[in-house]
Amino acid sequence: MTVLRVVLASMFVFMAAYTIPVVLNEGINLLPIFFADALGFDWTGQFVVDFAMFLGLAALWIAWRHGFSGSAILLALATIFGGMTFLAAYLFVQTYRASTVQEIILPVR
C-alpha cells in the first residue's frame, strides 16, 4: 500500500501544482472551454470527451461503492468536477481505511 500511497500523493501534488497556475491564467470558468473543445471534433475534442467518460466512470464507481446514498452522489460530483486531484485524495484516504486493495475497490459496508 505504501507504493500506492506515494503514487496517489504524487498525483495529487502534481495536479494541484498544475491547476493553480492554470486557474490564475485562465480563470475558473472551465465549462465553456470544455464544451467548445468537445464540439470541435478534433484531437483535442476527442481527448476531452474520452477524459469526461473516464471521470463519469470513476464517479459512477464511487457512487456505487457508497450505495448511491446522498453522500455518494456528492462524492461522485466531486469526482466529476475535481478530477484526478479529488480522486487521488479520495483513494489516498481509502488506503488508510482499508487493509487491502480489494477492500478499496469493493462497496463500503
Side-chain angles (χ1 to χ4, degrees):
M1 276 281 197
T2 302
V3 172
L4 178 58
R5 288 181 185 130
V6 169
V7 169
L8 292 169
S10 299
M11 288 176 161
F12 176 83
V13 168
F14 179 81
M15 285 310 303
Y18 192 94
T19 301
I20 291 168
V22 169
V23 169
L24 292 174
N25 291 332
E26 303 285 333
I28 196 100
N29 200 12
L30 169 68
L31 292 179
I33 296 167
F34 171 84
F35 286 113
D37 285 348
L39 294 173
F41 292 96
D42 54 15
W43 282 116
T44 302
Q46 188 277 341
F47 180 81
V48 166
V49 171
D50 190 15
F51 178 64
M53 289 183 181
F54 271 108
L55 287 176
L57 182 60
L60 182 63
W61 168 69
I62 287 177
W64 167 79
R65 185 171 185 272
H66 291 275
F68 294 100
S69 63
S71 61
I73 302 304
L74 291 176
L75 287 170
L77 289 172
T79 302
I80 289 171
F81 289 104
M84 181 50 69
T85 308
F86 174 79
L87 189 58
Y90 170 83
L91 289 171
F92 185 83
V93 169
Q94 297 309 310
T95 65
Y96 284 99
R97 292 184 174 174
S99 57
T100 66
V101 173
Q102 290 83 357
E103 289 178 38
I104 295 170
I105 295 170
L106 297 173
V108 176
R109 295 188 197 308

